[in-house]
């Protein structure tokens, strides 16, 4: 049952009061614990085993992607990895990108390769993601890793970072509330390959009874209403209403949606704010524990990328 998450001892208490019924699950603290453990293990390898190496590739100038990629490269340096970043122009051809991936696949100093999505429309993302060696696929997007996860081979699978981080938060919250994931009714809202489907597989690996709900599901309020565990990953602001939540349920909100805020900023531009896929305020009075947005699942994604890279380095030298 090895998962990169197992590296995280998470001794610190990541739950804090909200002033309402629900405890808040602090993803920032949890991510710091994971990063500290990865840094400690990396330091302990120094001089004995190869330094974990992460290559991050950005094609084009999508501003949100630029921010993500910078954060990933910086986190890799902070935990002591060999970290390289490729900023390629928008006009990069698919063949050029595939050639770079081939080089990195063959480079013994690189254990993890991440191609930031979305790619420019002229590039076939599926071909690119499938070119990354499954052993260096620290995003866990290659069909080989998706297959390992779906057959429950967590000893070998590299698991996508956002669901892996969500599971760490969920396990910690369940332990603190004295509930077991085994036998629990878990509902995942959203069926993406990046979050919904791998999340469902992870919950299944922990012996939860898993329902995957989606845009065509009938009576979503009733499906969510029976769940002891709700993972919302639909990308629609506050779509899961607070009154749907079963009292005491653990709610993991994967959504990060920018919506109009109130007033204007110093430059006179309309303010915006981030909200999740769950109507947070209303959910606070019903849930047993809930992740805030921001500060919940978000920080865990990069931490799990580091944990996956260390794991890939360990698997390579095993
Ligand atoms: N774009 C948005 N999220 C992700 C992610 O987790 N991995 C990659 N490669 N691209 C992304």
């Amino acid at each position: 049952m090895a998962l990169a998450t197992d590296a995280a001892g998470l001794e610190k208490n990541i739950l804090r009061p909200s002033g309402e019924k629900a405890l808040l699950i602090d993803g920032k603290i949890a991510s710091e614990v994971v990063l500290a453990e990865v840094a400690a293990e990396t330091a302990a390898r120094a001089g004995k085993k190869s330094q974990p190496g992460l290559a991050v590739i950005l094609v084009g100038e999508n501003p949100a992607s630029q921010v993500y990629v910078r954060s990933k490269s910086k986190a890799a340096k902070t935990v002591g990895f060999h970290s390289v970043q490729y900023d390629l122009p928008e006009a990069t051809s698919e063949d050029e990108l595939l050639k770079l991936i081939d080089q990195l696949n063959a480079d013994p100093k690189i254990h993890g390769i991440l191609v930031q999505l979305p790619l420019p429309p002229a590039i076939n993302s599926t071909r690119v993601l499938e070119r990354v060696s499954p052993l260096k696929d620290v995003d866990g997007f290659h069909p080989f890793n998706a297959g390992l996860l779906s057959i429950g081979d967590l000893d070998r699978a590299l698991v996508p970072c956002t669901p892996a981080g969500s599971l760490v938060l969920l396990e910690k919250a369940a332990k603190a509330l004295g509930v077991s994931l085994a036998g629990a009714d878990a509902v995942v809202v959203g069926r993406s390959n990046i979050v919904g489907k791998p999340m469902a597989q992870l919950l299944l690996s922990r012996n939860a009874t898993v329902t995957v709900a989606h845009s065509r599901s009938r009576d979503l309020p009733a499906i969510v209403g029976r769940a002891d565990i709700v993972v919302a990953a639909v990308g629609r602001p506050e779509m899961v209403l607070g009154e749907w939540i079963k009292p005491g349920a653990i709610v993991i909100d994967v959504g990060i949606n920018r919506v109009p805020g109130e007033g204007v900023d110093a430059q006179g531009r309309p303010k915006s704010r981030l909200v999740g896929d769950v109507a947070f305020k209303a959910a606070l009075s019903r849930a047993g524990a809930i992740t805030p947005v921001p500060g919940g699942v978000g920080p865990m994604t990069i931490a799990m990328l580091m944990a996956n890279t260390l794991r890939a380095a360990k698997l390579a030298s095993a």
Side-chain angles (χ1 to χ4, degrees):
M1 282 272 213
L3 189 65
T5 55
D6 296 340
L10 288 174
E11 278 79 21
K12 282 193 195 167
N13 189 6
I14 62 162
L15 291 161
R16 51 189 169 82
S18 67
E20 296 236 26
K21 178 176 178 195
L23 291 168
L24 290 176
I25 306 170
D26 191 328
K28 183 92 178 49
I29 293 181
S31 70
E32 284 163 6
V33 173
V34 173
L35 289 170
E37 296 220 8
V38 171
E41 254 197 77
T42 301
R45 285 169 67 89
K48 289 179 249 157
K49 299 261 171 67
S50 65
Q51 181 189 26
L54 175 66
V56 179
I57 305 172
L58 172 65
V59 186
E61 290 176 4
N62 178 318
S65 292
Q66 285 173 328
V67 173
Y68 286 133
V69 161
R70 257 200 309 274
S71 311
K72 290 170 185 178
S73 299
K74 190 172 152 218
K77 286 198 185 93
T78 306
V79 295
F81 291 174
H82 169 57
S83 170
V84 283
Q85 183 178 324
Y86 294 85
D87 293 305
L88 306 181
E90 178 87 18
T92 302
S93 70
E94 189 173 304
D95 277 349
E96 286 171 308
L97 182 54
L98 294 176
K99 217 173 266 169
L100 173 60
I101 293 171
D102 288 343
Q103 271 171 33
L104 295 167
N105 280 340
D107 185 342
K109 291 201 296 299
I110 296 297
H111 304 94
I113 302 169
L114 181 139
V115 183
Q116 185 67 23
L117 301 176
L119 286 166
I123 297 180
N124 180 332
S125 302
T126 305
R127 272 195 80 197
V128 169
L129 296 180
E130 290 185 8
R131 191 69 156 247
V132 174
S133 160
L135 302 174
K136 299 191 179 188
D137 170 38
V138 283
D139 254 335
F141 293 168
H142 193 288
F144 183 83
N145 281 311
L148 288 176
L149 177 59
S150 83
I151 62 170
D153 192 346
L154 293 175
D155 288 335
R156 288 196 298 152
L158 286 165
V159 176
C161 303
T162 299
S166 299
L167 183 69
V168 173
L169 298 181
L170 180 56
E171 289 194 311
K172 185 68 184 171
K175 194 167 168 206
L177 295 177
V179 297
S180 170
L181 299 193
D185 278 320
V187 168
V188 180
V189 189
R191 55 174 157 181
S192 71
N193 290 334
I194 292 179
V195 185
K197 285 187 197 133
M199 189 73 229
Q201 301 289 1
L202 287 175
L203 287 162
L204 208 47
S205 80
R206 293 326 195 234
N207 299 311
T209 303
V210 185
T211 302
V212 181
H214 48 78
S215 54
R216 303 285 291 274
S217 294
R218 264 185 287 123
D219 203 358
L220 191 57
I223 296 170
V224 171
R226 328 187 256 277
D228 306 306
I229 294 161
V230 180
V231 180
V234 267
R236 289 176 56 188
E238 301 185 324
M239 189 217 162
V240 175
L241 299 185
E243 60 261 33
W244 298 357
I245 305 291
K246 178 172 162 180
I250 303 175
V251 179
I252 305 291
D253 190 349
V254 178
I256 303 178
N257 309 287
R258 195 162 282 285
V259 297
E262 278 174 31
V264 291
D265 67 13
Q267 281 82 42
R269 290 174 302 211
K271 277 194 182 160
S272 65
R273 65 193 176 95
L274 292 178
V275 299
D277 290 349
V278 178
F280 179 72
K281 270 202 193 122
L284 274 183
S285 61
R286 295 176 70 88
I290 185 168
T291 55
V293 176
V297 173
M300 289 302 285
T301 297
I302 289 184
M304 298 318 294
L305 175 66
M306 302 306 130
N308 269 355
T309 305
L310 173 61
R311 187 141 174 276
K314 282 162 64 176
L315 289 172
S317 60

